Amino acid sequence: SDKSKKKEVSSKPSKTINEISDTWVADHAKHATRMLPGGIYILGIFVISEEDLLNPFAAKFRTILANIHKQLASNEYI
């Protein structure tokens, strides 16, 4: 069972933006915003990729940004 736990913990790096979970990114933005002092907010995301994400604007990238906005807008205190 220790071997199975080690397999679950180890993760491989994502090869494309389509492999990234948009809900995970939005949840991470929510938790990061809660850790920031007052008056500082998450404004966007930083992505390093070999793909050209902005031309044409990738649907997955747009979904990630929409989920971040929805996650942060759902709590008026964030």
Side-chain angles (χ1 to χ4, degrees), residues 7-75:
K7 288 181 183 177
E8 292 175 12
V9 173
S10 65
S11 63
K12 62 179 182 171
S14 298
K15 298 286 185 191
T16 65
I17 194 160
N18 291 328
E19 295 177 8
I20 298 172
S21 170
D22 50 341
T23 54
W24 180 87
V25 174
D27 191 48
H28 181 72
K30 180 180 74 173
H31 291 295
T33 302
R34 287 182 176 172
M35 290 186 284
L36 293 172
I40 300 176
Y41 303 101
I42 301 292
L43 298 177
I45 60 174
F46 183 79
V47 178
I48 298 174
S49 174
E50 294 176 1
E51 301 174 47
D52 188 10
L53 299 176
L54 300 177
N55 190 12
F57 201 63
K60 181 68 172 187
F61 192 61
R62 187 180 317 189
T63 304
I64 290 172
L65 291 176
N67 280 342
I68 290 172
H69 176 71
K70 184 173 31 170
Q71 185 76 261
L72 295 179
S74 67
N75 188 343

